[in-house]
Amino acid sequence: MTGYTIVGGGAIGGTIAFHLAETGHDVLLIDADQAHVAAIRRDGLVLRGAGGDRAVPVHAALPGEWDGPLHRVLLCVKAQATAGAAAWIAPRLDPGGYVVSVQNGLNEQLIAEHVGEERVIGAFVNIFADVVEPGIIRDGGPGAFVIGELDGDPGPRVHALVADLAGIGARATGNVTGHLWAKLGFGAMLSATALADAPMADLIDRHRELMHALVAEVFTVAASLGLRLEPFDAFDAQAYVPGAPPAGREEATDRLTAWLRTQPKDRSGIWRDIAVRRRPIEVHDHYREVFARAEAAGVATPLLSAMLARLADVEAGRAAMSENHLVNLSGQAVGISGGRARRSH
């Protein structure tokens, strides 16, 4: 069977590595966490689901233990680790090899700076999972997984990837960028929910105007780039674009929150990084490109900026998690929308 290297064996990478190994593929998992690697070597890679634990043998190594060569690489590290991981991959990647960015955010161009754009494939992933202890991934329910070439229609290597990853629901797309920007809109909602210790669905439901306004800022930037936003799972991106009918937006949020309530994982990975793992979150890297594009297009993003500033304070311990953050941001959203309405008259 086809061999794959997974760089970054956390929630996303670990889940994908498990399914590839379970279906007979040779998998090498590279991760910088010594305890995680040691546990996988000792006990196999474990996926914990509602039916109990399942384990598969996986080759695991620390970056300093492997010199390559590498051929089919799925890069699954956090966004802030992308540059270092891509620099490690580049000298080990064989001439016919490629790197698939299976990450949140917009990391493809950064990877291309290290390996060449023709050797980068994009992917959109919305897998709900968590690393609960070394070597053990908790399955948090199904989610979308879409793979595509950066320059258009999927070719043979994308179709081969989709075939090998069919067990985890992968499918091909000719618009991976539209999926990634749609996720950035949804991700703005999830980032805001990490300001409080409560289920994502409940917080989105209680603070709808804020959530809609956050998504609208991201999607206004996307519109300035001429992007076609794609739906995924229960998130209907077109319902949140500026100018979409308010009733349709409310119905879309009804469907989204109902779906989130069916998921075993009720808090975001951002919340978990702050409250449980106490490690740096990646969303600041996700939205750096959004802010750069917004500035270039003259698009204002005051709510997104304010929300991420509050999240940075919570992350650093300068402020406590509290739903009051969302209440205050909601007031700011009302003020902004009121100001726009007055200007339109």
Side-chain angles (χ1 to χ4, degrees):
M1 300 290 280
T2 307
Y4 286 93
T5 301
I6 312 293
V7 177
I12 293 173
T15 300
I16 294 171
F18 179 90
H19 286 282
L20 282 170
E22 190 178 47
T23 52
H25 295 278
D26 184 30
V27 175
L28 169 66
L29 190 149
I30 302 293
D31 198 273
D33 187 327
Q34 293 186 15
H36 194 46
V37 169
I40 294 168
R41 285 172 171 169
R42 184 183 65 246
D43 304 320
L45 180 59
V46 177
L47 188 69
R48 178 166 293 167
D53 289 358
R54 292 145 58 200
V56 293
V58 169
H59 302 292
L62 299 167
E65 297 174 337
W66 191 264
D67 286 329
L70 307 174
H71 185 64
R72 298 173 185 85
V73 180
L74 304 184
L75 181 55
C76 305
V77 299
K78 295 283 189 179
Q80 65 266 37
T82 301
W88 180 86
I89 291 166
R92 297 167 174 82
L93 192 64
D94 71 37
Y98 56 76
V99 180
V100 188
S101 172
V102 192
Q103 304 168 271
N104 291 312
L106 304 168
N107 305 295
E108 290 75 15
Q109 290 307 313
L110 177 55
I111 299 166
E113 291 175 10
H114 292 271
V115 305
E117 189 166 351
E118 73 285 355
R119 297 206 284 175
V120 180
I121 296 173
F124 157 82
V125 62
N126 196 44
I127 293 172
F128 283 70
D130 287 309
V131 178
V132 292
E133 57 186 274
I136 301 178
I137 312 293
R138 181 172 58 203
D139 182 9
F145 188 7
V146 179
I147 304 171
E149 298 285 358
L150 302 184
D151 59 357
D153 291 338
R157 59 186 187 177
V158 168
H159 289 302
L161 282 161
V162 168
D164 287 346
L165 292 161
I168 198 172
R171 63 183 180 87
T173 181
N175 184 26
V176 70
T177 303
H179 281 93
L180 292 171
W181 275 83
K183 177 68 180 288
L184 286 167
F186 179 48
M189 286 188 181
L190 298 189
S191 297
T193 68
L195 288 166
D197 184 9
M200 295 178 286
D202 294 349
L203 292 170
I204 292 171
D205 215 356
R206 288 199 291 266
H207 302 279
R208 290 187 175 215
E209 187 166 2
L210 168 62
M211 299 299 171
H212 297 168
L214 286 168
V215 179
E217 287 190 354
V218 176
F219 284 179
T220 300
V221 181
S224 76
L225 302 174
L227 298 178
R228 186 180 79 254
L229 298 167
E230 299 282 358
F232 62 90
D233 293 328
F235 184 72
D236 180 3
Q238 292 301 320
Y240 297 96
V241 298
R249 190 161 52 244
E250 292 294 334
E251 291 170 3
T253 304
D254 288 341
R255 293 191 297 271
L256 176 63
T257 53
W259 177 74
L260 285 170
R261 289 188 174 105
T262 69
Q263 301 299 306
K265 178 176 176 176
D266 69 352
R267 285 163 172 77
S268 71
I270 308 155
W271 176 91
R272 185 173 178 81
D273 278 345
I274 295 172
V276 179
R277 305 199 74 180
R278 304 193 183 280
R279 66 181 184 181
I281 59 176
E282 61 175 341
V283 293
H284 304 295
D285 291 82
H286 294 172
Y287 292 99
R288 191 168 289 122
E289 179 70 10
V290 175
F291 289 134
R293 297 284 191 161
E295 184 176 5
V299 175
T301 55
L303 274 178
L304 187 63
S305 299
M307 182 272 290
L308 290 173
R310 285 178 179 267
L311 198 55
D313 285 343
V314 171
E315 178 187 14
R318 294 187 294 268
M321 278 189 177
S322 170
E323 197 166 342
N324 286 334
H325 294 296
L326 300 179
V327 172
N328 292 333
L329 286 167
S330 294
Q332 186 174 342
V334 171
I336 292 169
S337 63
R340 287 174 180 157
R342 287 191 295 273
R343 286 193 296 274
S344 70
H345 291 293

